[in-house]
Amino acid sequence: MRRKTKGYLALGTAGLLLVIVSLVLEHRIPDTVGATATAIGMGLFAFGFSKFRTLRWEEKEPEIMRKAQIEANDERNVAIRRRAQAVSGEVLQWTILVAAWVSIGLDAPLWVTVAAVGVFLAKSFLDLFLIFHYRKQM
């Protein structure tokens, strides 16, 4: 096992230990500290063990991983992935605007509506910025 693989295993184990400690000390520490420790621990656990499993699979099946890497970097697959991300970003942007309208209809607090509209506008401005940026580049 490579050193990098062991590091991710240690990271996942540390995350799991952090979750266990936060559960054991549940009534001795404030709820916010316990919830934060649990969330960080679960994140470390998921990240560490997923990277560990991926690297172990790469060590055991290098030929399959090499083919998958070539396929992932293939020009056609990159174009497909970018187009899918662009379409999903548009769908998400308009869904957020619909959520703002629904929040108005449900008499939600004003900050909910303002936050949704702010995210919508931020995405719109980011789109425009990137369009101009890529036009200059190409």
Side-chain angles (χ1 to χ4, degrees), residues 39-135:
I40 291 172
M42 289 305 288
L44 290 175
F45 171 74
F47 176 73
F49 277 114
S50 66
K51 291 293 283 184
F52 168 74
R53 287 300 304 150
T54 302
L55 289 174
R56 286 292 290 166
W57 187 38
E58 185 179 313
E59 288 173 2
K60 290 184 178 189
E61 304 289 340
E63 195 59 38
I64 293 174
M65 289 301 289
R66 203 170 299 119
K67 286 180 184 177
Q69 185 70 22
I70 291 170
E71 188 173 314
N73 294 332
D74 179 47
E75 193 174 305
R76 180 176 175 269
N77 288 331
V78 169
I80 289 170
R81 192 167 41 252
R82 287 182 179 164
R83 187 171 184 182
Q85 288 172 344
V87 171
S88 67
E90 287 293 317
V91 169
L92 183 61
Q93 177 182 12
W94 291 104
T95 303
I96 288 172
L97 190 61
V98 168
W101 280 103
V102 169
S103 71
I104 291 170
L106 294 176
D107 265 347
L110 182 61
W111 70 268
V112 174
T113 306
V114 170
V117 171
V119 169
F120 176 83
L121 290 174
K123 164 73 167 69
S124 299
F125 287 129
L126 182 62
D127 283 346
L128 286 174
F129 172 76
L130 291 174
I131 286 170
F132 291 129
H133 175 72
Y134 289 139
R135 277 192 185 151

